[in-house]
Amino acid sequence: MTQESLQAIAARFAIRGRVLTVQPLGSGLINDTFKVETDGPDDYVLQRINRAIFQNVPLLQHNIEAVTRHIREKLAGDPDIDRKVLRFIPLSDSPQTYFQASDGTFWRVSVLIRDAYTHEAVTLESAYDAGKAFGRFEAMLADLEEPLGETIPDFHNMELRARQLREAVAADKAGRMSDPAVRDLVEEVFSYEWEMCKAERMHREGLLPKRICHCDTKVNNMLFDADGNVLCVIDLDTVMPSFVFSDFGDFMRTAANTGAEDDRDLGNVHFSLSIFKAFSKGYIESASVFLTPVERENLPFAAMLFPYMQTVRFLADYINGDTYYRIQYPQHNWIRSLAQWKLFTSVRASVPAMKEWLDSL
Ligand code: GN1
Ligand code: MG
């Protein structure tokens, strides 16, 4: 897209000042994100919403507006409130917070939070703070009365994800099932399917509630200040009703991995029990006000579930010919699958130690 067309889109929103430049920002795999510099008091974040993934943009923005409004009410009086919750900007000629361009693409704008940083890695101290912040995020939303929709229906439904992998294998669109290594991993993954689908069963039996969760709680979806304190949670597209396992588990998947999500060297990939301990201590401190015993005792399961689910999702995308996740090289989704599977096996070996720690809190 040209600089002119990006600037023209940004100018449709009720931003203060004139747009100077629009530059790419961040490293998300789904939306396209830009920083909008203005000559006014604020800079902004402009995002093109990925319509292939988020098919109901009005519902998505409704969720985000309800959540940010509710959090803003809870934080009323905090002098730093504008760095602790995102603010979405309406159009200049309507209260709507998204813009549909003539080519059908959807855009939105939020105020850029100043002096805020994202991190790809986490320390013991920031893991504790993040646990506290995530538990707090869920606690703040526990009394949200406005019903939220699922922006991606069945997003973290493990039964569905397993079915999608099964369909990908059957269709074999990219011919990748002819690789014995792929077939072996598929078989190994399915050998854990029953165990890893227990949340959906517990929900059907009435044992496990859905709550408003973030559902993409990666380290790089939080903003930190210069001192390393958590400011707020960003990337709210997937905020929706889900099991608390989503937030706990997906945070562990990224924060407690000693390697990268797509590490080529599996020797780097291990589950860090010390990060787990720090995060879960913070999380339990702020989430214990609403967690049920079933939710709490299944937090080690949540830590296992997310590397498992992510293996299934990356592997299905690889087998489908890379249609969902943005890739940087042809084998990228395969490398991601192997790295997530290595993490799964490492988390699994840590279940007794995790249980012991949670019992001690
Ligand atoms: C996607 O866009 P990003 O990187 O924040 C994905 C997550 C995956 C993650 C894996 C809507 O998130 O569910 O865990 O990639 N988001 C969506 O890196 O599918
Ligand atoms: Mg992100």
Side-chain angles (χ1 to χ4, degrees):
M1 279 200 88
T2 64
Q3 187 59 216
E4 290 75 49
S5 44
L6 286 168
Q7 293 196 14
I9 289 165
R12 300 302 294 254
F13 290 83
I15 61 181
R16 298 197 284 170
R18 261 182 323 121
V19 175
L20 300 177
T21 60
V22 182
Q23 304 293 335
L25 179 72
S27 61
L29 300 183
I30 304 291
N31 296 317
D32 297 301
T33 306
F34 304 89
K35 175 179 174 177
V36 179
E37 264 188 291
T38 74
D39 63 3
D42 288 314
D43 291 333
Y44 297 87
V45 176
L46 169 69
Q47 278 189 314
R48 174 167 50 199
I49 303 169
N50 186 325
R51 272 307 292 301
I53 294 172
F54 300 107
Q55 299 188 353
N56 189 342
V57 175
L59 171 92
L60 176 101
Q61 284 302 114
H62 161 82
N63 279 4
I64 289 183
E65 284 170 38
V67 162
T68 52
R69 194 185 312 125
H70 194 75
I71 294 180
R72 194 167 283 280
E73 279 163 19
K74 295 251 154 135
L75 296 178
D78 186 323
D80 210 13
I81 188 167
D82 282 322
R83 292 168 79 217
K84 293 188 178 167
V85 56
L86 293 175
R87 186 190 288 280
F88 287 84
I89 302 296
L91 297 178
S92 39
D93 54 5
S94 115
Q96 184 176 299
T97 59
Y98 56 90
F99 171 64
Q100 185 171 17
S102 51
D103 63 357
T105 53
F106 280 88
W107 300 79
R108 68 171 167 224
V109 167
S110 58
V111 179
L112 181 81
I113 296 183
R114 35 183 92 256
D115 307 319
Y117 308 88
T118 54
H119 295 308
E120 296 292 335
V122 120
T123 63
L124 285 181
E125 301 74 54
S126 70
Y128 168 80
D129 292 343
K132 223 162 159 130
F134 264 108
R136 225 165 83 83
F137 179 78
E138 290 175 351
M140 281 194 290
L141 295 172
D143 64 346
L144 177 65
E145 274 167 18
E146 209 160 330
L148 300 191
E150 295 196 1
T151 56
I152 303 177
D154 290 311
F155 186 43
H156 283 163
N157 181 331
M158 192 57 239
E159 289 175 342
L160 172 86
R161 296 300 181 185
R163 200 150 64 234
Q164 289 173 332
L165 176 59
R166 197 164 273 116
E167 284 163 10
V169 167
D172 192 20
K173 281 189 203 132
R176 286 172 166 168
M177 291 308 297
S178 57
D179 181 344
V182 176
R183 289 203 300 273
D184 283 355
L185 183 58
V186 166
E187 194 187 324
E188 223 188 319
V189 164
F190 277 126
S191 70
Y192 293 92
E193 182 184 3
W194 171 258
E195 178 190 347
M196 299 317 294
C197 288
K198 86 170 177 190
E200 285 73 29
R201 294 196 299 275
M202 290 194 296
H203 182 62
R204 279 195 294 272
E205 290 159 16
L207 300 172
L208 182 67
K210 285 196 178 182
R211 307 177 183 281
I212 305 304
C213 296
H214 180 278
C215 294
D216 192 16
T217 51
K218 299 190 299 187
V219 177
N220 64 13
N221 282 338
M222 311 194 73
L223 291 183
F224 295 83
D225 69 14
D227 301 325
N229 302 308
V230 177
L231 285 169
C232 66
V233 171
I234 56 170
D235 243 0
L236 304 178
D237 300 311
T238 52
V239 173
M240 63 177 114
S242 192
F243 309 131
V244 289
F245 303 164
S246 290
D247 289 353
F248 189 92
D250 218 16
F251 197 87
M252 283 296 100
R253 184 180 73 80
T254 35
N257 182 355
T258 56
E261 177 178 89
D262 57 354
D263 219 304
R264 288 167 182 272
D265 182 352
L266 297 181
N268 291 334
V269 177
H270 296 283
F271 181 58
S272 162
L273 197 57
S274 45
I275 294 284
F276 170 86
K277 288 181 175 176
F279 180 83
S280 55
K281 185 171 190 302
Y283 182 77
I284 294 284
E285 280 174 17
S286 50
S288 59
V289 289
F290 66 83
L291 285 181
T292 67
V294 169
E295 288 174 315
R296 186 179 164 140
E297 81 205 14
N298 278 291
L299 294 177
F301 169 76
M304 266 197 302
L305 176 60
F306 278 79
Y308 182 82
M309 191 184 303
Q310 201 59 57
T311 307
V312 168
R313 294 178 64 194
F314 282 145
L315 189 55
D317 197 35
Y318 179 67
I319 295 169
N320 282 330
D322 312 308
T323 59
Y324 189 91
Y325 294 106
R326 191 173 296 150
I327 54 169
Q328 270 133 33
Y329 52 91
Q331 297 296 300
H332 204 163
N333 274 320
W334 172 243
I335 296 296
R336 286 168 172 154
S337 308
L338 292 176
Q340 290 297 296
W341 190 249
K342 169 67 200 288
L343 182 63
F344 169 71
T345 53
S346 175
V347 178
R348 205 178 146 73
S350 306
V351 167
M354 285 191 273
K355 289 203 156 124
E356 195 182 315
W357 171 255
L358 288 172
D359 288 345
S360 78
L361 290 178

